[in-house]
Amino acid sequence: MYRTHTCGALRIENIGEEITLAGWVQTVRKFGAITFVDLRDRYGITQVVFNESLNKKLDEQPLGREFVLQVKGKVIERSSKNLNIPTGEIEVAVSDFTILNKSIVPPFTIQDETDGGDDIRMKFRYLDLRRNTVKKNLELRYAVNRSARNYLHEKQFMDIETPFLIKSTPEGARDIVVPSRMNEGQFYALPQSPQTFKQLLMVSGYDRYYQVVKCFRDEDLRADRQPEFTQIDCEMSFVQQEDILEMFEGLIKRIFKDVKGIDYTDIVERMSWDEAMWQYGNDKPDIRFGMKVCNLKTPAIVRGEREDQSALINEAGFNVFDQAETVLAIAVPGISEYTSKQTDELTDWVKRPQIGMKGLVYIRCNADGNYKSSVDKFYSEERLKVIADAAGATKGDLVLILAGAEERTRKAISELRLELGERLGLRKKDEFRLLWVLDFPLFEYSEDDNRWVARHHPFTSPKPSQIETMINNAPEISDPAAYLEHPYAGIKANAYDMVLNGNEIGGGSIRIYQRELQEKMFAALGMSPEESKHKFGFLLGAFEYGAPPHGGIAFGFDRLCAILGGSESIRDFIAFPKNNSGRDVMLDAPSTIDDKQLDELSITLNVKR
Amino acid sequence: MYRTHTCGALRIENIGEEITLAGWVQTVRKFGAITFVDLRDRYGITQVVFNESLNKKLDEQPLGREFVLQVKGKVIERSSKNLNIPTGEIEVAVSDFTILNKSIVPPFTIQDETDGGDDIRMKFRYLDLRRNTVKKNLELRYAVNRSARNYLHEKQFMDIETPFLIKSTPEGARDIVVPSRMNEGQFYALPQSPQTFKQLLMVSGYDRYYQVVKCFRDEDLRADRQPEFTQIDCEMSFVQQEDILEMFEGLIKRIFKDVKGIDYTDIVERMSWDEAMWQYGNDKPDIRFGMKVCNLKTPAIVRGEREDQSALINEAGFNVFDQAETVLAIAVPGISEYTSKQTDELTDWVKRPQIGMKGLVYIRCNADGNYKSSVDKFYSEERLKVIADAAGATKGDLVLILAGAEERTRKAISELRLELGERLGLRKKDEFRLLWVLDFPLFEYSEDDNRWVARHHPFTSPKPSQIETMINNAPEISDPAAYLEHPYAGIKANAYDMVLNGNEIGGGSIRIYQRELQEKMFAALGMSPEESKHKFGFLLGAFEYGAPPHGGIAFGFDRLCAILGGSESIRDFIAFPKNNSGRDVMLDAPSTIDDKQLDELSITLNVKR
């Protein structure tokens, strides 16, 4: 061993001990004949002192930043203590040293606040990983991993590895495929998730399964997506939805406790998908703050089921509201005194193409009890007050109103709410609020193909009460414009998402376990019997030999770590991430391969661009 | 929850409780009006009893093997107890039942001894996984996984995930490659091991790393090889070889303790590669039994370094020995009375093409003190005694002697030794003997290419005392026939294998951490500077910024589990293994993919066969 202690270990109790340290030179400071070096390793920083007797050796072998250095010496008390670091009461009086390896000057400073841009830090990722902030992220990631495994182990879950070279069954995202040399012209796929395998394990009787496992998806990468990502993947047999919710809110609470020291004793809130969309315009609402959506005008399709308050805004001659399918409001607390420059800026914000609204109506609920609006000429102050009251506004609030087509307007009001929550500091990084969103729709309508697609995945079970609806109705949609009237549009699934601070951190469902229902589901998604047999014959087969009721969940491990670490970016929590083009710029991968490799795989390139 | 207890939980203490169980019907036995069912789940089997009041319901809903059944009832004491199973003192008097799912008749019996052949069990792997023997294997695998993680965690190792989509740098085995859709004409590779990443992590300062990780190799599959396999992969900084040996024999001892309940307090034996080859003809000797190799005639190349006993056999007019490069003997205990039929069979055994010997010479050391041999006409009884003594034989032993070319003969004597160890019951499944084999050669000679290849991998460090030899000599081999005389042939590496019962379960090395030495190594392996920069530029770059001394090891997780489970086959310890053609016969993968998929990847098929 090149050391007796780490650079984070020595304390006042060690004074007088002869020790050996090894680590990286963080800083070199000379004061006259004395040289101070901060020596850094994974565990901390220790100040080591070279007195003048070592000056000759230091002249011959000068130290530089990031040199790997071994020092032998005696632990002594520091005259000026640094109580900000655990080793700050001592230093090491060096008796001898060895330079284990040199370093050229790094392309950026290895400090918390670095001068390196994103690109250079990705290229020299091995240096970026030395920075304390990045190290803390990976330590947090490991702590979450460890905590999750411990909890699941105690609950009798078994880690069972599932294969990486599987069969391509694209449904939803594109598969990443792998040519097989030994099976000419054939391909494996890398798993988008171990979904069917964990279900097979349930059929096999392994009633509590987990894995912390890499998954793969060939998507056009949006910011902060990675072609390979990690899931905490779990499945249980002989359970109902309630059992799963309890088990896995327990998991997340345990992680809060182990990793953040937080006792999350609150009951985890639950909300149906319908309610989430109605109250927040979003299926993963951030419930750290209020500002719920006020549905002033309800689209025709849900009228009857939902309260319609359009009387409040109708017949005022304001065409924008009269012609809109949907009118939605939020009451933003404490900003009634926004200047017109500020409200104009908000208007511009909602008009950006990403939001796509035509305009923004506001009502100021002034501190003096007056109401002022951008639509004063259509609405009397009395009517403004009624509308503001409906939105839940009180003195000092600013009511923001959007109008337009249902889907876009609802999405926009959600974005606006989140933006204002952010601006007003209501989305606190150190506050964690969990939420279960339940009862997702089983199907989504695909306009492109005029057919149903699975909202979650094709293995998700409909609500038991709606199985009949599914079995007794054909999936065909005769009138695309009226797809919402098709019986399938109303079928809800036994599916659930866990939402943390407005991010979906996990999702799952109770699965189909009956062959007939699974076949019906494949048919509903437009698969012919031949196709479903070709792709999923093994699963349909397995369901014939005594498949138990089962369900599960998968957590997005990268995302969970990022949120717990108070970051927006999953990339900061991955040791060797890829960039937005799916490239590893450190390795320079992907890259070309030899003709011999191509030939052995019986493929040729057909490059078009 | 569909159950209050598992099928392994109920005991005599539970008598009188109203409980609910769910599981699979193992057997149905009718005795008059009473029906007994063994209900099975992951945790055990519980006998449940249907009395005549349920006969009508049973008639309407008959039970069959592998049906998924939920029963409600009361725990009662059994009249005839079965003390072979933990639940054998009780049974459940069923008050009501629900068939949760039916099963058609399985294609083989779900029992320890099954009637299903290999192929059918692979196709219906989800049923094979129900068998207790297979379940025990996966449970053992999980226990090993858990034990290893706990030990490494306690030793401050960090699990850090490394990427799966990396760069193709074939060196040794073929890479499995993955076409990139977004980077046209370019490919990722799946990692053969996380080798370079774990070294980069050391450069980054994460001084103790581990991962239980899938690795991939596109080899022509021999029996019991899998294209994807799992490693326990570890790396440490600031260590010498001794530190690694101690740390990881600790790991294996901990696994013995946790998984098998074995206190392995013996010192782990160590042996140089030279000694292993000399004494056992094998670099992974099974030291559960003796029968060490007696080197009767030493090949010219090692004469001088090693004792040569050829005087014992020379000048007897026996051409076979006189002309052989190498003559090797083992003394097999207690079988001097083998019949000539038995010795003929052994002769046939060594003449098989897999062994490739021309014949077998034996000396019987009879119980009466006489010596008889198949070469009596060349050797007097006195000389036979001298030879037998040299081989360490005592009364009752049979000395077996092979002669021929060094490499083949040494391999053959090793095989013969193992075969006889097996036949004589000396390789006990419940005995575990660990061994470190040390000081492997750094290079191997590749006859095909007339160049050096890395014995372990290109990142392994030569012994410090031999670095000069490597630096100061060019790698070129002018005379292929005399490659053993090249200075590189004698260079030993700081490399080590852990051997358990004659199987290599892990291997590793102290790594090169100096750029110049790494470049020299790449050059020694015949890589041009351009090629080494293209393939490993990131690593060479990293070594310039303060790389610490480091080393590591990787354990073959599948193999380790198989040996601990007393099995020869790793396949039995993998949930969803592939067959010898790399196919998953359950999924029917690999398979063809759509033209659309090929087109998106810019590749076309070029199928030749």
Side-chain angles (χ1 to χ4, degrees):
Chain A
M1 204 69 97
Y2 284 81
R3 63 188 177 197
T4 57
H5 294 75
T6 70
C7 295
L10 296 173
R11 298 288 184 277
I12 202 108
E13 300 83 60
N14 300 100
I15 283 173
E17 291 178 26
E18 294 287 342
I19 57 92
T20 307
L21 298 182
W24 285 262
V25 173
Q26 179 80 16
T27 55
V28 182
R29 300 184 308 278
K30 285 198 81 141
F31 291 101
I34 312 288
T35 303
F36 292 89
V37 166
D38 276 353
L39 198 65
R40 185 196 72 229
D41 68 10
R42 178 182 146 199
Y43 308 91
I45 286 180
T46 299
Q47 180 166 293
V48 303
V49 190
F50 300 73
N51 68 24
E52 56 195 347
S53 70
L54 288 164
N55 277 351
K56 184 156 172 281
K57 188 165 177 184
L58 279 175
D59 284 342
E60 286 162 11
Q61 301 177 38
L63 304 177
R65 279 188 173 232
E66 302 305 319
F67 275 39
V68 186
L69 183 67
Q70 183 188 42
V71 300
K72 291 180 197 299
K74 185 184 274 190
V75 183
I76 57 173
E77 189 164 4
R78 270 210 221 181
S79 48
S80 73
K81 295 185 176 163
N82 175 358
L83 298 181
N84 296 322
I85 60 170
T87 62
E89 294 191 87
I90 57 90
E91 61 193 6
V92 173
V94 179
S95 56
D96 198 9
F97 71 92
T98 307
I99 294 174
L100 298 173
N101 216 341
K102 294 181 184 180
S103 172
I104 57 176
V105 177
F108 52 87
T109 56
I110 315 285
Q111 288 174 336
D112 288 7
E113 295 297 322
T114 179
D115 53 355
D118 224 36
D119 290 349
I120 192 94
R121 287 188 293 112
M122 287 285 274
K123 184 165 160 54
F124 293 90
R125 182 66 176 172
Y126 47 84
L127 295 181
D128 204 28
L129 286 170
R130 284 187 190 166
R131 295 196 306 121
N132 204 37
T133 45
V134 184
K135 192 191 74 184
K136 278 196 188 321
N137 291 347
L138 294 191
E139 285 175 343
L140 179 138
R141 185 180 177 107
Y142 177 46
V144 175
N145 184 334
R146 183 82 192 152
S147 172
R149 287 178 184 277
N150 285 345
Y151 177 85
L152 293 167
H153 180 77
E154 287 160 24
K155 300 291 185 188
Q156 295 197 281
F157 284 76
M158 251 176 96
D159 181 346
I160 303 176
E161 293 165 67
T162 53
F164 279 72
L165 298 172
I166 65 166
K167 184 169 176 158
S168 184
T169 56
E171 170 68 24
R174 272 188 211 90
D175 280 331
I176 295 185
V177 298
V178 180
S180 166
R181 181 179 56 88
M182 293 210 290
N183 300 273
E184 222 188 347
Q186 299 190 354
F187 291 74
Y188 302 99
L190 300 178
Q192 296 189 28
S193 91
Q195 182 61 35
T196 51
F197 293 99
K198 67 178 178 176
Q199 293 191 245
L200 290 179
L201 287 172
M202 295 305 110
V203 174
S204 301
Y206 297 78
D207 60 357
R208 297 186 169 196
Y209 144 95
Y210 80 97
Q211 223 184 157
V212 181
V213 64
K214 275 280 173 77
C215 300
F216 303 86
R217 224 169 264 174
D218 185 9
E219 289 175 302
D220 296 317
L221 297 175
R222 285 180 267 160
D224 218 30
R225 283 262 182 122
Q226 293 278 320
E228 51 176 306
F229 54 97
T230 305
Q231 282 187 355
I232 304 175
D233 193 50
C234 307
E235 196 81 4
M236 299 173 79
S237 289
F238 301 119
V239 289
Q240 277 128 349
Q241 177 168 299
E242 186 59 34
D243 304 308
I244 304 235
L245 302 188
E246 266 176 44
M247 180 63 74
F248 292 101
E249 59 190 57
L251 170 64
I252 298 299
K253 286 179 175 183
R254 170 68 167 271
I255 291 172
F256 279 139
K257 179 73 186 159
D258 289 349
V259 177
K260 306 289 292 182
I262 295 171
D263 275 309
Y264 196 105
T265 49
D266 293 357
I267 288 171
V268 175
E269 283 188 52
R270 298 180 182 193
M271 195 181 290
S272 71
W273 182 85
D274 277 349
E275 278 306 306
M277 294 305 291
W278 189 250
Q279 294 186 20
Y280 295 92
N282 193 324
D283 62 3
K284 43 178 198 277
D286 186 344
I287 56 167
R288 282 176 295 182
F289 64 104
M291 271 197 238
K292 289 187 192 173
V293 173
C294 168
N295 287 267
L296 287 171
K297 186 174 182 182
T298 303
I301 188 78
V302 294
R303 245 166 255 164
E305 290 171 50
R306 293 286 187 177
E307 190 189 4
D308 178 46
Q309 306 185 77
S310 54
L312 302 184
I313 50 172
N314 279 350
E315 293 171 18
F318 185 44
N319 273 339
V320 172
F321 284 0
D322 289 347
Q323 287 165 13
E325 185 181 17
T326 299
V327 180
L328 302 172
I330 53 172
V332 188
I335 61 163
S336 66
E337 294 183 4
Y338 257 30
T339 62
S340 60
K341 193 177 159 197
Q342 285 174 302
T343 54
D344 285 354
E345 190 272 331
L346 281 182
T347 305
D348 289 344
W349 194 89
V350 301
K351 286 166 122 176
R352 295 180 316 146
Q354 301 96 306
I355 307 295
M357 288 285 102
K358 296 222 173 81
L360 176 70
V361 170
Y362 63 83
I363 304 174
R364 294 180 197 278
C365 310
N366 289 326
D368 61 6
N370 293 332
Y371 292 82
K372 295 285 172 203
S373 169
S374 53
V375 288
D376 277 348
K377 62 174 163 177
F378 300 105
Y379 296 95
S380 67
E381 193 163 350
E382 261 162 49
R383 285 196 81 176
L384 292 177
K385 180 178 186 315
V386 172
I387 296 170
D389 285 352
T394 56
K395 275 183 193 172
D397 291 358
L398 183 70
V399 177
L400 301 176
I401 308 175
L402 295 173
E406 161 68 12
E407 202 174 327
R408 174 175 290 191
T409 309
R410 198 164 289 278
K411 191 163 180 301
I413 198 82
S414 168
E415 296 287 340
L416 185 62
R417 174 181 173 271
L418 290 172
E419 174 68 17
L420 282 156
E422 192 71 48
R423 291 186 188 189
L424 299 178
L426 304 173
R427 308 185 71 187
K428 301 196 186 83
K429 280 192 182 178
D430 55 353
E431 186 186 350
F432 296 98
R433 286 291 299 279
L434 290 169
L435 170 72
W436 284 114
V437 177
L438 306 172
D439 306 340
F440 276 78
L442 185 63
F443 295 109
E444 268 176 353
Y445 177 66
S446 162
E447 212 168 337
D448 291 349
D449 304 328
N450 187 37
R451 69 166 177 94
W452 302 105
V453 295
R455 176 76 173 67
H456 182 215
H457 57 47
F459 314 106
T460 295
S461 176
K463 292 267 166 202
S465 61
Q466 292 177 298
I467 290 178
E468 290 298 308
T469 309
M470 192 169 137
I471 301 240
N472 296 332
N473 288 283
E476 286 73 26
I477 302 143
S478 48
D479 178 6
Y483 77 88
L484 278 171
E485 286 159 28
H486 190 286
Y488 279 22
I491 298 179
K492 294 293 194 286
N494 260 333
Y496 31 82
D497 274 0
M498 183 173 263
V499 175
L500 174 59
N501 292 359
N503 296 279
E504 181 213 320
I505 58 167
S509 61
I510 299 296
R511 324 299 185 187
I512 297 170
Y513 63 102
Q514 309 92 332
R515 177 169 182 142
E516 301 70 31
L517 187 57
Q518 188 63 67
E519 284 175 331
K520 181 75 188 174
M521 172 55 89
F522 288 141
L525 303 176
M527 262 187 240
S528 70
E530 295 69 37
E531 189 184 353
S532 61
K533 190 156 178 251
H534 173 69
K535 285 183 173 173
F536 299 109
F538 61 95
L539 188 70
L540 293 170
F543 283 177
E544 295 203 288
Y545 293 98
H550 62 286
I553 195 165
F555 291 92
F557 185 52
D558 308 297
R559 171 80 49 209
L560 176 60
C561 293
I563 298 168
L564 291 173
S567 168
E568 293 289 305
S569 164
I570 65 170
R571 213 191 273 176
D572 297 342
F573 292 79
I574 298 172
F576 298 101
K578 294 186 173 50
N579 73 9
N580 285 344
S581 319
R583 293 198 69 82
D584 185 320
V585 293
M586 179 188 73
L587 298 181
D588 192 25
S591 62
T592 55
I593 59 173
D594 298 345
D595 288 344
K596 184 178 166 224
Q597 285 176 287
L598 290 172
D599 188 58
E600 285 183 335
L601 295 170
S602 306
I603 57 180
T604 52
L605 296 183
N606 178 27
V607 177
K608 283 150 281 187
R609 276 158 284 178
Chain B
M1 203 72 96
Y2 284 81
R3 62 190 178 197
T4 57
H5 294 75
T6 70
C7 295
L10 296 172
R11 298 288 183 280
I12 202 109
E13 300 83 59
N14 301 99
I15 284 172
E17 291 178 26
E18 294 287 342
I19 56 91
T20 307
L21 298 182
W24 284 262
V25 172
Q26 177 82 17
T27 56
V28 183
R29 300 184 307 276
K30 286 197 82 145
F31 291 101
I34 312 288
T35 302
F36 292 89
V37 166
D38 277 351
L39 198 64
R40 186 197 71 229
D41 67 11
R42 177 181 145 199
Y43 309 91
I45 285 179
T46 299
Q47 179 166 293
V48 303
V49 191
F50 300 73
N51 69 24
E52 56 194 347
S53 70
L54 288 164
N55 278 350
K56 183 158 173 280
K57 188 164 176 183
L58 278 175
D59 284 344
E60 287 161 10
Q61 302 177 36
L63 304 177
R65 279 188 173 233
E66 300 306 320
F67 276 39
V68 187
L69 183 67
Q70 182 188 43
V71 300
K72 294 180 195 297
K74 186 186 274 192
V75 183
I76 58 173
E77 188 163 4
R78 269 210 220 181
S79 49
S80 73
K81 295 186 176 163
N82 175 359
L83 297 180
N84 295 322
I85 59 171
T87 62
E89 295 192 88
I90 57 89
E91 61 193 7
V92 173
V94 178
S95 56
D96 198 8
F97 70 91
T98 307
I99 294 174
L100 299 175
N101 217 341
K102 293 183 184 179
S103 172
I104 57 177
V105 177
F108 52 88
T109 56
I110 314 285
Q111 287 175 338
D112 288 7
E113 295 297 322
T114 180
D115 53 355
D118 224 36
D119 290 349
I120 192 95
R121 286 188 293 113
M122 287 284 273
K123 183 165 160 55
F124 294 90
R125 182 67 176 174
Y126 47 84
L127 296 180
D128 203 28
L129 285 170
R130 284 187 189 166
R131 294 196 306 122
N132 204 37
T133 45
V134 184
K135 193 190 73 181
K136 278 196 188 322
N137 292 348
L138 294 191
E139 285 174 342
L140 179 136
R141 186 180 176 107
Y142 177 47
V144 175
N145 184 334
R146 183 85 191 148
S147 172
R149 286 178 184 278
N150 285 345
Y151 177 85
L152 292 167
H153 179 77
E154 288 161 23
K155 300 290 184 187
Q156 296 197 278
F157 284 76
M158 253 176 94
D159 181 346
I160 303 177
E161 292 166 67
T162 54
F164 279 72
L165 297 172
I166 65 167
K167 183 167 177 159
S168 183
T169 55
E171 168 70 23
R174 273 189 210 88
D175 280 330
I176 295 185
V177 297
V178 180
S180 166
R181 181 179 56 87
M182 294 210 288
N183 300 273
E184 222 188 348
Q186 300 190 354
F187 291 75
Y188 302 99
L190 299 178
Q192 296 189 28
S193 91
Q195 182 62 35
T196 50
F197 293 99
K198 66 177 177 175
Q199 292 192 245
L200 289 179
L201 288 172
M202 296 305 110
V203 174
S204 301
Y206 297 78
D207 60 357
R208 296 186 169 196
Y209 144 93
Y210 80 97
Q211 223 184 158
V212 181
V213 63
K214 273 282 174 74
C215 301
F216 303 87
R217 223 170 268 174
D218 184 9
E219 289 176 303
D220 295 316
L221 298 174
R222 285 181 267 162
D224 218 30
R225 283 262 180 122
Q226 293 279 319
E228 51 177 305
F229 55 96
T230 305
Q231 283 187 354
I232 304 176
D233 192 49
C234 307
E235 196 81 3
M236 299 174 77
S237 290
F238 300 118
V239 289
Q240 276 128 349
Q241 176 168 300
E242 185 61 34
D243 304 308
I244 303 233
L245 302 187
E246 266 176 43
M247 180 63 73
F248 292 100
E249 60 189 57
L251 170 66
I252 298 299
K253 286 179 175 182
R254 169 68 167 271
I255 290 171
F256 279 138
K257 179 71 185 161
D258 288 350
V259 177
K260 305 290 291 184
I262 294 172
D263 275 308
Y264 196 105
T265 50
D266 293 357
I267 288 171
V268 176
E269 284 189 52
R270 299 179 182 193
M271 195 181 290
S272 71
W273 181 85
D274 277 349
E275 277 306 306
M277 294 306 291
W278 189 252
Q279 295 186 19
Y280 295 93
N282 193 324
D283 62 3
K284 42 178 199 278
D286 186 344
I287 57 168
R288 283 176 296 182
F289 65 103
M291 270 197 240
K292 289 188 193 172
V293 174
C294 169
N295 287 267
L296 287 171
K297 186 174 181 182
T298 304
I301 189 77
V302 294
R303 245 166 256 164
E305 291 171 49
R306 293 284 187 178
E307 191 189 3
D308 178 48
Q309 307 185 76
S310 55
L312 301 183
I313 52 173
N314 279 349
E315 293 171 19
F318 185 44
N319 273 339
V320 172
F321 284 180
D322 290 346
Q323 287 164 14
E325 184 182 16
T326 300
V327 181
L328 302 172
I330 52 172
V332 188
I335 61 163
S336 66
E337 294 183 5
Y338 257 31
T339 62
S340 60
K341 194 177 160 196
Q342 285 174 300
T343 53
D344 286 352
E345 190 272 330
L346 281 182
T347 305
D348 289 344
W349 193 90
V350 301
K351 285 166 122 177
R352 294 180 316 146
Q354 301 95 307
I355 307 295
M357 289 286 101
K358 296 223 172 83
L360 176 70
V361 172
Y362 63 84
I363 303 173
R364 295 181 198 278
C365 311
N366 289 326
D368 61 8
N370 292 333
Y371 292 83
K372 295 284 173 206
S373 170
S374 52
V375 288
D376 277 350
K377 62 174 160 175
F378 300 104
Y379 295 95
S380 66
E381 194 163 350
E382 263 162 49
R383 284 196 79 172
L384 290 178
K385 181 177 186 315
V386 173
I387 297 171
D389 285 351
T394 55
K395 273 183 193 173
D397 291 358
L398 184 70
V399 178
L400 301 177
I401 308 175
L402 295 174
E406 161 67 14
E407 202 174 329
R408 172 173 292 189
T409 309
R410 199 164 288 278
K411 191 162 181 301
I413 199 85
S414 168
E415 296 288 340
L416 185 63
R417 173 181 172 270
L418 291 171
E419 175 67 18
L420 282 156
E422 192 71 47
R423 291 188 188 188
L424 300 177
L426 304 174
R427 308 184 70 186
K428 301 195 187 85
K429 278 194 184 176
D430 55 354
E431 185 186 352
F432 296 97
R433 287 291 298 281
L434 290 170
L435 170 72
W436 283 114
V437 177
L438 306 173
D439 306 339
F440 276 79
L442 184 64
F443 296 108
E444 268 177 352
Y445 177 66
S446 162
E447 212 168 338
D448 291 350
D449 304 327
N450 186 39
R451 68 166 178 95
W452 301 105
V453 295
R455 177 73 173 70
H456 182 216
H457 57 47
F459 313 105
T460 296
S461 175
K463 291 270 167 198
S465 62
Q466 291 177 298
I467 290 178
E468 291 298 308
T469 309
M470 193 170 137
I471 300 236
N472 297 330
N473 288 283
E476 287 72 27
I477 303 143
S478 49
D479 178 7
Y483 76 89
L484 277 172
E485 286 158 29
H486 189 285
Y488 279 22
I491 299 179
K492 293 292 193 289
N494 261 331
Y496 31 82
D497 275 0
M498 184 174 261
V499 175
L500 175 58
N501 293 359
N503 295 278
E504 181 212 320
I505 57 167
S509 61
I510 299 296
R511 323 299 185 187
I512 297 170
Y513 64 102
Q514 309 93 332
R515 177 167 182 145
E516 301 69 32
L517 187 58
Q518 187 64 69
E519 284 176 332
K520 181 75 189 175
M521 173 56 91
F522 288 142
L525 303 176
M527 263 188 238
S528 69
E530 295 69 38
E531 189 182 354
S532 61
K533 190 155 178 253
H534 173 69
K535 285 183 171 172
F536 298 110
F538 60 96
L539 188 69
L540 292 171
F543 283 177
E544 295 203 287
Y545 293 98
H550 62 285
I553 195 166
F555 291 92
F557 184 53
D558 308 298
R559 172 78 50 206
L560 176 61
C561 293
I563 298 169
L564 292 173
S567 167
E568 293 289 305
S569 165
I570 64 170
R571 212 191 274 175
D572 297 343
F573 292 78
I574 297 173
F576 298 101
K578 294 185 172 52
N579 74 8
N580 285 343
S581 319
R583 293 199 68 84
D584 185 321
V585 294
M586 179 188 74
L587 299 181
D588 192 24
S591 62
T592 54
I593 59 174
D594 298 346
D595 288 343
K596 184 177 165 227
Q597 285 175 285
L598 290 172
D599 188 58
E600 285 183 334
L601 295 171
S602 307
I603 57 179
T604 51
L605 296 183
N606 178 27
V607 177
K608 284 150 283 187
R609 276 159 284 179

